[in-house]
Amino acid sequence: VNMGHVLVELPLFKSITKTVMCGVLESCLSHEWGYSFLFEFGLGLQRGDESSSEVDNQVAQLIVAEFSHFKEVLTMVWNQETSQKPADDTVHGIKGQYRNGKSIKELKIDKHQLLEFFHAFDAQYMKLLGEYIDPNADMKALVQRTVGIADQFRPLDCDSGWSREVKDQIPNILAGVFAVFTIRKSGDSYNRLVESDTSGMSKNLLMKPHNIQVLTLLSLFGCGSSSSSNLNSQLMQIRTGEGKSMILGAAAVILALLGFRPRCVCYSEYLSDRDFALFRDVFDDFNVKEHVKYSKITTLSEDATKAKGNIRVLTESLLRGQLEDVGSAPALIIARKSGGVTISPGKSKVRTTTKSTTDTKTEDGSFKSDTVSKTKKKVDKMIERKIIQPPEMSSIDRKEILLVDEVDVFFGSEFYGQTYNQVAQLREPEITDILIHIWIANKRGGRRQRLADIQALPAYSQLLKKIDGFKYVLDSEINLMIDQVRRIDEEPYYLHRDTDRIGYKVMDSISYEVTYGYRTVFAYLQEAERGNLKEKDSTLASALFIPLSCGQFSYANVSPERILGVSGTLSALGEYEYNVLAKYGVNTFMYVPSVYGESNFQFDKAGDGIRIETSVSDYYHSIVEHTHLFLKQKRSVIVFFSDNARLKDFTNSSFYRNLGRQKKLLTENMSKSDKEFAISKAATAGQVTISTAVFGRGTDFFCKDETVQRNGGVHVIQAFLSEEESEEIQIQGRTARQGKKGSYQMILLDSDIEKQFGLVKGWKDKIAKRDWYDCLSSARQKHRDVIYEKIEENLAKATEKDCNTHSYFDALLAKDKKAASKRFKEIYTSFKKGSLPSSIELDLAFIIDTTGSMAPYAQTAAATVKNLLTGSESIVAKLNINFPEIEFHLRVGVMGFRDIDDGPKQFSESISNEGSHFFSDTTTSISFVNFILRGTSGGGDIAEDILGAIHKAAKWNGPDDWTSPIKFMLLLTDAPAHGLVPEGSANIPNVDGYSLLHPCGLTQERVINSLIKNDIDLFLCSFNPAATLRTEKELCMTYLDHKDNSEQREITVIPLVPKNQSQSVEVLGGNGKHIIFVLDQSGSMSNYWNGVVGAYNKYIARRRQNQSDCDLVSVVQFDDGVNVTVNMKPITQVPDQLGYSGGGTYFLPAALSASELALSTPSSHVPAIVFMSDGCAYDSNQAASAFSQLNNTLRHQLECELELNVIAFGSGASQAQLMRIAGSSRSGKFHTSADTAELSNIFVQIAGGSQVADVLEAEIGKRISEAVSGRLAVEYMR
């Protein structure tokens, strides 16, 4: 138990501790007494010791759950604790309905017949179990006996072949399947203990189906319908946690034995793998593994496509002009493995013996039934007859039957209305050369590569010869390469270190089948460069190719022979879902009562079961408070957040730390073993588990802790409102499982509900609390209706794409090159919304605050506008670099604004004679900006009429106003809007003269509506972020949530100075810098020292020009020694001359001196180092380490990276050494300077690091370029 505490509470040592414990347990098994000892030992651990603490007993139970050596104990506990209702009682609770459109009829169930079939199963199952559980019994004979019954009927016809004779044998086939399952799963455990068992305890070691599982299977196979000879598609509802996995596994075996190809589909790959593993041995025993498949539902369409042929291989052959050389269609069926759990044939695992077997009878007669139905007697006669085996059927000959695990797999975001996209992989040496060229060019930086640059490469012309006639494809793909090489990390990826495969998160696992085009291709090059690939050459040879989209098949276009399934959420289906199921022929639904009787689930909908908080802090506090409440009751708590983003936000907060030590995360990116450990520990007393919604489905948090049960069971907190009621039911099903106690509550964030489900602010204050849940459910249904409309739109598009793809596919199979080439081009170009235009206009309106408070920024703002509009760093120049194939025409409008009380002077606009506000001649706009900024005045109070300015500019309606396809409005201010001053400052005099109502009746909503109506993107540029923070937040929220903002575009906020250096409405303050110059004064610098001092003085001048008089300055001069010549002097008092000595070059002493100065920086300042040298040094590595250590210290103390600028001066400088020093900090920058003039420019550039003008120009240019890229991507690119 003490080692168990290490295992449970110290994750770092879990692996080694488990290895040691496992070795001890294994050594026990090497002795004859081992199994009996471990069983007794496990029972003791599970039961606990009255003299031990509750914590020790919990750890003991976790040890039992963690090690497979105690699986017999877990089975016994399960059987002892989960008593079930008699079958006779259960049958009478089964109900059914048949739906035809809106017509609903009660389904007639022959319950007498169903019960008779159940007793036939029970008698045969017990007989077979008694006969074959003996370790010397011939399991192969049991398998052959069961197979022999099924062989009499296959192949079956679902429409008319499901006769009474077939139904009579279903119980016997099912009995054989479950007998094999029970013996495989628990026969050895039973036999090891039965001889010494005098209490009858050993029978509790057997894994047997409970009566609900059996009755469900009999009902699925039509045993409750006496009149029908059809096998109808149908779904059955059983409560979550009552054994769907066993039902589906047994159904798969029976259907495979009867000549079908069963496919069990689930929404999760993780759960699919788990369920397949449960029946793997049984599939082997009956030799049906090659006919059974477990997968996500999306794989169904993928496999159907493969059966037709390999569209990818055919496409590759078409491009190379080799279509006629491709083999016949059957040869094309072999496709690359893609998705799902592919099951390959396996040998049957059977136990054999030469001894004959007889019935086994225990003292309580549990394996012998005196009452055997007529149905059961028929099978004995059949088995005695000589059985003629029918010819074996291949999987291709068999008809597929879909076995559904949870009905909502049909309505998931991955399936209905979505497409399965086929991608051909074009591989040629020239493609590798082109990809590597683009990767290296991007890594070097500088000008972005253009199509013309690649077309000039020899590899391009050589490749074009190989795919003659498809130049449009090659050019298009190269443009995508150039674009996506910069976007590798936009979608986080995961590298599997053992297989060298890159994957992406899908649902609750990492999929290594999903790719993101060239982002994935370049990600492999990135990992290769980092040295993370084990087999670099072979991995890159496999990864570097052109992925060509060559078809889109609708996932929904599937037609299995029948659909059977079990679900815990049928009762949550709405009319839309029933209509979708009807399209697949599912009209029959049955509802089975719980085997455990009435549920012990508690959800106080009208009381504390629903809590809704108004702020994030209150929301997190409420979750923690209620968690502690239930933990104090010695229960366990599982909290489900909607997604990883919200979970991460919570775990990064101080509230998470307040949960104490007994907390565990359960997330998608954890290893399988870590997931299983977290799940096994979740239902123990005092434990809190923080998870995402994806684990609210199918995850078995089975409670074996008596302390938890005694005090009310597991408590589940759902911290979001599910979009689907079915998901909510599933999450509720993680507690009160298998008849146990449990409770559930929702703790929600008001803004989440309002944003996602359209509820108006303050909605809950207008209705009684008892009606909250009904109101939430109603809002959810309205939200679902909107989603369903979108799904149907997507389905129509997916169906059209599916038809077009099949037309192309047929032309390929017919080897019609002309038709296939034509249709490929149609399909390929349809993946793009259109070609990029050769030229495009942009409208850019500068809306500039010209009140008195802007006077300090006027000169900077004017110069910045000029630089944005003219020269090599202008907006148009940067756009031309990013989009060389497009000619951009910029039209500029300018408006200055003051405050409401400034009357006729409030607005100053530049207007042409024709009444237009926009000018193509940028000099006109620049002149007007200079004019309005020369006379900054007015304003009165601190708040300004920002709403009025935005609204007025957005409503410009001259003949050429806002006519371009891409429109931007850029507002520069230093003040908040009226009504949106910072919280806590409303009572300060002269802050806001119009805090309650705008005199023109303007509201945020009305202003934002004018922007969105005219399709204008807004940039908010603030010289005082602390003052404008609330304004920015409120406007951004209103913009994002606008009902017509379908593309979810956002306002772009650009703080023009750091927030900690901006003034609030009360104070101007912030941190200055402690600038530490580290200057090389070795002998080689003698001719350049005056230039170095000049560069130093220009740095000082620029900092003072930027109003940085609070800075401190230190100077470290070094050669083969070191001297601190200026020690933390105010920037206003530093000398303008620096002495010179000359000597050798050592870096480390200078680095240590600079570090000492940096660490002595007062708390009011932040250190920044400028390191310059023209040479190299033997101690450069030690110097880099010193700076790295300094950076780590600052990161810990200040939570920021060291600002470190390193300059290599002249041709003799060791760039490699100095780059290594710059790399000591993630904020480190490396510069090269050929002469002192260039050195001065670099010093001035560094000094301006916090200058408003530089921030403004760089950030605005970058953001506008990004916005244009985004708009073009939406409009024109795929």
Side-chain angles (χ1 to χ4, degrees):
V1 172
N2 287 336
M3 289 190 74
H5 278 285
V6 176
L7 179 76
V8 171
E9 297 181 25
L10 297 175
L12 187 63
F13 301 100
K14 179 187 173 185
S15 179
I16 189 170
T17 305
K18 188 172 181 179
T19 301
V20 172
M21 295 175 75
C22 201
V24 173
L25 296 172
E26 286 293 327
S27 67
C28 292
L29 294 179
S30 65
H31 299 281
E32 185 178 342
W33 47 265
Y35 283 101
S36 298
F37 170 76
L38 287 184
F39 179 71
E40 294 295 334
F41 179 53
L43 276 180
L45 290 173
Q46 182 63 35
R47 290 168 178 164
D49 186 345
E50 291 184 0
S51 62
S52 299
S53 68
E54 285 189 2
V55 174
D56 283 347
N57 287 334
Q58 289 167 17
V59 170
Q61 290 177 352
L62 284 170
I63 292 172
V64 174
E66 181 71 9
F67 293 93
S68 60
H69 306 77
F70 302 119
K71 64 180 181 179
E72 293 92 349
V73 175
L74 294 177
T75 302
M76 175 171 286
V77 170
W78 173 278
N79 287 330
Q80 287 176 338
E81 292 185 357
T82 53
S83 58
Q84 52 180 299
K85 292 166 60 178
D88 299 56
D89 294 344
T90 304
V91 165
H92 295 296
I94 298 176
K95 297 178 182 179
Q97 59 180 214
Y98 178 82
R99 304 178 70 96
N100 186 6
K102 294 187 178 181
S103 171
I104 305 174
K105 295 181 181 179
E106 183 179 351
L107 193 67
K108 293 182 179 179
I109 304 171
D110 190 334
K111 297 180 179 179
H112 175 75
Q113 177 179 290
L114 186 58
L115 194 56
E116 181 181 305
F117 280 128
F118 173 83
H119 288 307
F121 159 83
D122 192 48
Q124 180 69 1
Y125 171 70
M126 301 305 279
K127 178 178 183 299
L128 294 175
L129 203 55
E131 185 175 346
Y132 289 99
I133 199 167
D134 188 289
N136 296 316
D138 186 357
M139 275 282 285
K140 188 173 183 179
L142 171 56
V143 170
Q144 290 175 341
R145 188 172 177 176
T146 306
V147 170
I149 305 173
D151 282 347
Q152 301 301 303
F153 306 109
R154 69 182 176 94
L156 275 177
D157 185 346
C158 290
D159 292 324
S160 59
W162 220 260
S163 63
R164 174 61 193 246
E165 185 180 8
V166 173
K167 294 178 185 177
D168 283 345
Q169 300 311 319
I170 292 295
N172 299 298
I173 300 172
L174 183 59
V177 171
F178 270 132
V180 171
F181 175 83
T182 299
I183 294 168
R184 275 288 171 216
K185 293 298 177 183
S186 52
D188 289 343
S189 302
Y190 172 83
N191 287 317
R192 281 196 293 266
L193 297 172
V194 68
E195 292 182 5
S196 59
D197 178 26
T198 58
S199 62
M201 183 186 298
S202 56
K203 67 180 181 180
N204 285 325
L205 292 176
L206 295 173
M207 288 184 66
K208 299 187 290 186
H210 58 62
N211 58 40
I212 282 293
Q213 292 168 323
V214 176
L215 288 168
T216 298
L217 282 160
L218 293 174
S219 299
L220 283 173
F221 291 126
C223 294
S225 175
S226 56
S227 58
S228 174
S229 60
N230 298 338
L231 177 63
N232 295 319
S233 291
Q234 64 171 310
L235 297 173
M236 299 191 66
Q237 176 170 288
I238 66 172
R239 190 176 294 170
T240 55
E242 300 201 359
K244 295 192 295 294
S245 302
M246 282 182 67
I247 293 171
L248 295 173
V253 177
I254 293 172
L255 288 169
L257 292 177
L258 291 174
F260 296 100
R261 184 162 38 97
R263 178 192 292 265
C264 297
V265 294
C266 177
Y267 85 99
S268 161
E269 188 173 337
Y270 167 73
L271 296 177
S272 190
D273 287 348
R274 182 199 68 182
D275 291 350
F276 168 72
L278 179 66
F279 261 78
R280 186 195 305 270
D281 293 340
V282 182
F283 296 147
D284 280 334
D285 285 333
F286 284 99
N287 200 27
V288 297
K289 192 188 282 188
E290 68 174 304
H291 307 306
V292 175
K293 186 156 189 176
Y294 277 67
S295 73
K296 294 168 67 175
I297 194 169
T298 50
T299 312
L300 178 61
S301 173
E302 297 167 12
D303 289 347
T305 301
K306 292 176 188 176
K308 182 173 180 177
N310 194 328
I311 192 173
R312 292 172 290 183
V313 170
L314 288 166
T315 298
E316 292 161 18
S317 301
L318 173 69
L319 292 170
R320 292 190 176 98
Q322 300 168 354
L323 185 60
E324 295 82 359
D325 302 331
V326 180
S328 59
L332 298 169
I333 291 176
I334 301 174
R336 299 182 183 91
K337 180 181 177 185
S338 173
V341 184
T342 303
I343 312 303
S344 58
K347 293 183 179 179
S348 176
K349 297 180 181 178
V350 294
R351 301 185 302 171
T352 59
T353 180
T354 56
K355 293 175 66 177
S356 62
T357 59
T358 57
D359 289 355
T360 302
K361 182 177 180 180
T362 62
E363 291 182 5
D364 64 356
S366 58
F367 295 156
K368 183 76 173 178
S369 176
D370 295 327
T371 305
V372 181
S373 68
K374 296 179 182 179
T375 304
K376 189 271 169 192
K377 291 178 180 177
K378 291 179 183 179
V379 72
D380 287 344
K381 293 180 181 179
M382 182 177 290
I383 293 169
E384 291 170 4
R385 297 198 302 265
K386 183 178 180 180
I387 298 173
I388 301 174
Q389 297 284 351
E392 181 58 33
M393 302 169 64
S394 72
S395 285
I396 295 177
D397 298 328
R398 293 166 174 253
K399 293 181 178 179
E400 187 163 56
I401 291 184
L402 205 60
L403 295 173
V404 177
D405 181 359
E406 290 302 339
V407 64
D408 43 353
V409 296
F410 281 100
F411 317 111
S413 58
E414 291 184 314
F415 178 70
Y416 201 65
Q418 299 302 313
T419 57
Y420 166 44
N421 303 326
Q422 290 278 335
V423 179
Q425 298 180 355
L426 195 62
R427 301 174 188 275
E428 294 291 347
E430 294 83 2
I431 293 172
T432 301
D433 292 345
I434 290 171
L435 286 165
I436 291 175
H437 175 89
I438 292 172
W439 168 252
I440 293 174
N442 177 74
K443 192 175 62 171
R444 286 176 180 162
R447 181 178 67 82
R448 179 190 177 194
Q449 290 284 288
R450 303 175 183 176
L451 175 60
D453 298 326
I454 309 303
Q455 288 174 330
L457 298 175
Y460 176 88
S461 55
Q462 293 165 12
L463 181 58
L464 200 56
K465 292 176 183 177
K466 293 184 177 182
I467 56 170
D468 186 32
F470 293 95
K471 183 178 184 296
Y472 71 92
V473 173
L474 183 55
D475 289 351
S476 176
E477 295 302 316
I478 289 173
N479 275 325
L480 280 172
M481 295 176 194
I482 292 169
D483 176 70
Q484 294 195 10
V485 71
R486 301 174 301 154
R487 308 177 189 277
I488 300 171
D489 298 313
E490 283 186 3
E491 188 69 29
Y493 66 82
Y494 303 85
L495 175 67
H496 194 294
R497 298 293 183 120
D498 294 331
T499 62
D500 280 357
R501 295 193 70 188
I502 283 175
Y504 297 87
K505 189 178 75 175
V506 177
M507 298 295 288
D508 61 346
S509 59
I510 305 301
S511 172
Y512 295 93
E513 305 297 334
V514 173
T515 64
Y516 282 84
Y518 294 109
R519 278 182 281 177
T520 304
V521 173
F522 288 119
Y524 278 106
L525 282 170
Q526 180 166 273
E527 292 303 321
E529 186 177 272
R530 292 172 176 173
N532 292 333
L533 299 181
K534 291 175 65 177
E535 302 293 337
K536 175 182 173 181
D537 293 340
S538 59
T539 298
L540 291 182
S542 174
L544 301 186
F545 58 86
I546 289 180
L548 287 174
S549 298
C550 58
Q552 293 180 308
F553 297 95
S554 172
Y555 277 126
N557 188 17
V558 294
S559 53
E561 186 71 10
R562 289 292 187 273
I563 296 176
L564 305 172
V566 286
S567 175
T569 59
L570 285 186
S571 57
L573 296 182
E575 185 177 344
Y576 176 80
E577 287 99 334
Y578 281 120
N579 289 337
V580 171
L581 290 172
K583 293 178 182 179
Y584 293 99
V586 182
N587 296 295
T588 303
F589 305 91
M590 296 181 67
Y591 304 85
V592 182
S594 172
V595 68
Y596 305 110
E598 290 297 319
S599 171
N600 291 312
F601 174 77
Q602 293 184 358
F603 175 25
D604 183 11
K605 295 180 182 178
D608 210 37
I610 301 178
R611 294 189 63 87
I612 302 173
E613 306 297 347
T614 55
S615 69
V616 173
S617 59
D618 288 344
Y619 166 63
Y620 287 159
H621 177 266
S622 185
I623 291 171
V624 172
E625 181 183 37
H626 283 80
T627 297
H628 280 307
L629 179 67
F630 288 98
L631 293 179
K632 286 178 182 177
Q633 299 173 15
K634 297 184 179 180
R635 297 172 64 182
S636 62
V637 178
I638 306 173
V639 181
F640 290 101
F641 286 103
S642 57
D643 53 34
N644 272 318
R646 179 54 61 83
L647 181 146
K648 187 176 180 180
D649 187 59
F650 174 69
T651 55
N652 287 337
S653 72
S654 59
F655 297 97
Y656 177 68
R657 294 190 288 274
N658 291 337
L659 287 174
R661 290 177 58 243
Q662 272 190 266
K663 57 181 182 289
K664 215 147 190 66
L665 294 179
L666 177 59
T667 60
E668 295 95 319
N669 58 354
M670 292 167 61
S671 68
K672 181 181 177 183
S673 61
D674 286 343
K675 287 178 186 174
E676 290 173 348
F677 184 69
I679 291 167
S680 68
K681 192 179 179 184
T684 57
Q687 181 66 40
V688 54
T689 304
I690 311 297
S691 183
T692 52
V694 72
F695 291 98
R697 296 172 180 264
T699 310
D700 193 0
F701 299 100
F702 183 63
C703 181
K704 298 179 284 290
D705 190 327
E706 281 300 319
T707 301
V708 173
Q709 272 303 294
R710 199 165 48 245
N711 293 298
V714 176
H715 181 71
V716 168
I717 296 175
Q718 183 172 344
F720 67 100
L721 180 62
S722 295
E723 284 193 345
E724 303 164 357
E725 185 183 356
S726 60
E727 180 184 60
E728 183 181 305
I729 293 173
Q730 287 286 343
I731 290 174
Q732 291 173 354
R734 298 315 100 198
T735 185
R737 297 171 67 79
Q738 294 97 26
K740 303 278 187 180
K741 297 177 183 177
S743 55
Y744 165 90
Q745 74 178 144
M746 291 181 183
I747 299 179
L748 310 174
L749 181 60
D750 207 357
S751 59
D752 284 350
I753 304 169
E754 293 167 0
K755 179 178 178 180
Q756 188 173 3
F757 297 98
L759 288 168
V760 297
K761 198 167 186 177
W763 65 273
K764 68 180 186 297
D765 301 325
K766 300 174 183 177
I767 59 174
K769 189 171 184 179
R770 65 177 179 272
D771 298 324
W772 281 7
Y773 186 78
D774 290 340
C775 183
L776 291 172
S777 297
S778 176
R780 171 164 55 198
Q781 186 56 51
K782 291 177 182 177
H783 177 68
R784 291 302 302 167
D785 290 341
V786 173
I787 291 176
Y788 294 148
E789 289 179 10
K790 186 65 177 177
I791 289 174
E792 287 299 318
E793 290 177 12
N794 291 340
L795 181 63
K797 294 175 183 176
T799 303
E800 181 182 359
K801 293 174 183 176
D802 186 90
C803 291
N804 293 336
T805 300
H806 275 289
S807 177
Y808 165 61
F809 205 169
D810 293 341
L812 288 173
L813 292 171
K815 300 185 180 180
D816 186 340
K817 181 179 178 181
K818 183 177 180 181
S821 297
K822 178 184 177 183
R823 287 168 186 162
F824 172 76
K825 187 169 186 178
E826 292 171 353
I827 288 175
Y828 181 81
T829 54
S830 73
F831 293 151
K832 296 189 175 186
K833 293 192 174 182
S835 301
L836 286 172
S838 58
S839 65
I840 194 168
E841 280 192 344
L842 284 79
D843 285 348
L844 174 61
F846 288 97
I847 313 302
I848 304 174
D849 182 347
T850 58
T851 59
S853 62
M854 282 287 291
Y857 311 110
Q859 186 176 352
T860 297
T864 300
V865 171
K866 179 181 178 180
N867 291 337
L868 287 172
L869 298 181
T870 62
S872 61
E873 296 299 312
S874 68
I875 292 170
V876 170
K878 290 178 179 178
L879 289 173
N880 285 335
I881 292 173
N882 290 331
F883 299 94
E885 63 273 38
I886 302 175
E887 184 179 359
F888 289 95
H889 300 284
L890 183 64
R891 304 188 321 130
V892 181
V894 180
M895 183 178 79
F897 72 94
R898 294 187 175 89
D899 205 0
I900 296 167
D901 292 335
D902 288 311
K905 294 183 179 180
Q906 183 178 3
F907 298 111
S908 302
E909 302 170 272
S910 178
I911 307 175
S912 70
N913 294 333
E914 293 77 23
S916 175
H917 291 79
F918 287 92
F919 295 83
S920 298
D921 178 13
T922 56
T923 57
T924 301
S925 301
I926 293 170
S927 297
F928 190 73
V929 168
N930 291 331
F931 169 73
I932 60 175
L933 285 171
R934 278 199 296 269
T936 52
S937 63
D941 55 10
I942 291 175
E944 309 294 2
D945 190 16
I946 290 173
L947 296 183
I950 295 173
H951 186 67
K952 184 174 182 63
K955 301 292 280 187
W956 283 344
N957 59 358
D960 292 318
D961 287 345
W962 297 122
T963 56
S964 297
I966 299 180
K967 313 176 188 74
F968 298 114
M969 182 186 296
L970 197 148
L971 183 138
L972 293 86
T973 186
D974 68 335
H978 287 295
L980 296 173
V981 299
E983 294 178 0
S985 61
N987 295 325
I988 297 174
N990 203 37
V991 167
D992 189 355
Y994 296 94
S995 59
L996 299 178
L997 182 66
H998 192 284
C1000 298
L1002 286 180
T1003 62
Q1004 298 173 50
E1005 291 76 15
R1006 185 177 167 191
V1007 170
I1008 295 302
N1009 189 65
S1010 65
L1011 289 170
I1012 290 180
K1013 184 178 179 180
N1014 289 297
D1015 201 24
I1016 300 170
D1017 286 325
L1018 176 62
F1019 288 71
L1020 291 177
C1021 306
S1022 174
F1023 290 91
N1024 189 357
T1028 59
L1029 179 62
R1030 184 183 170 198
T1031 300
E1032 294 160 358
K1033 282 187 175 180
E1034 295 277 354
L1035 291 179
C1036 287
M1037 182 83 66
T1038 306
Y1039 192 96
L1040 185 63
D1041 293 343
H1042 193 280
K1043 60 183 178 61
D1044 294 331
N1045 186 10
S1046 57
E1047 295 175 8
Q1048 293 289 284
R1049 284 155 49 196
E1050 300 180 14
I1051 290 176
T1052 302
V1053 175
I1054 304 177
L1056 303 180
V1057 293
K1059 290 184 181 178
N1060 63 355
Q1061 292 184 12
S1062 71
Q1063 63 179 8
S1064 68
V1065 292
E1066 301 175 75
V1067 182
L1068 176 67
N1071 294 334
K1073 285 188 178 182
H1074 175 200
I1075 303 143
I1076 305 168
F1077 291 94
V1078 186
L1079 304 177
D1080 185 344
Q1081 62 171 3
S1082 61
S1084 58
M1085 289 295 297
S1086 60
N1087 295 328
Y1088 307 106
W1089 187 250
N1090 288 336
V1092 171
V1093 174
Y1096 154 81
N1097 282 317
K1098 286 187 177 182
Y1099 183 105
I1100 300 298
R1102 171 53 71 94
R1103 289 295 294 174
R1104 297 195 64 186
Q1105 181 184 340
N1106 292 347
Q1107 300 178 335
S1108 301
D1109 285 355
C1110 62
D1111 286 348
L1112 299 174
V1113 176
S1114 296
V1115 179
V1116 177
Q1117 296 175 224
F1118 71 94
D1119 39 35
D1120 48 7
V1122 63
N1123 185 23
V1124 178
T1125 56
V1126 179
N1127 192 341
M1128 267 194 294
K1129 286 197 172 185
I1131 196 169
T1132 56
Q1133 300 175 20
V1134 296
D1136 57 5
Q1137 293 297 319
L1138 299 173
Y1140 172 78
S1141 61
T1145 305
Y1146 287 92
F1147 290 164
L1148 180 59
L1152 294 174
S1153 292
S1155 298
E1156 185 178 350
L1157 285 165
L1159 293 175
S1160 62
T1161 301
S1163 59
S1164 57
H1165 288 66
V1166 176
I1169 295 177
V1170 180
F1171 188 104
M1172 185 280 298
S1173 175
D1174 72 333
C1176 59
Y1178 293 111
D1179 59 356
S1180 63
N1181 287 338
Q1182 295 96 315
S1185 297
F1187 281 124
S1188 179
Q1189 185 174 351
L1190 171 63
N1191 183 60
N1192 291 335
T1193 303
L1194 293 177
R1195 188 188 303 142
H1196 176 71
Q1197 293 179 350
L1198 304 179
E1199 297 184 353
C1200 69
E1201 300 285 330
L1202 170 66
E1203 182 182 325
L1204 175 61
N1205 285 277
V1206 180
I1207 303 111
F1209 179 77
S1211 59
S1214 172
Q1215 293 193 17
Q1217 291 185 358
L1218 294 172
M1219 284 178 69
R1220 193 176 300 115
I1221 291 175
S1224 302
S1225 167
R1226 278 189 286 189
S1227 294
K1229 294 180 181 178
F1230 175 72
H1231 313 265
T1232 58
S1233 167
D1235 51 39
T1236 54
E1238 193 171 355
L1239 182 66
S1240 291
N1241 291 335
I1242 293 172
F1243 269 40
V1244 169
Q1245 175 189 339
I1246 296 170
S1250 65
Q1251 183 193 14
V1252 170
D1254 288 348
V1255 173
L1256 181 60
E1257 292 170 25
E1259 193 67 13
I1260 291 177
K1262 174 188 171 188
R1263 297 293 186 91
I1264 289 183
S1265 181
E1266 288 175 351
V1268 171
S1269 300
R1271 295 298 294 271
L1272 290 175
V1274 169
E1275 296 296 331
Y1276 301 104
M1277 299 176 69
R1278 81 169 122 176

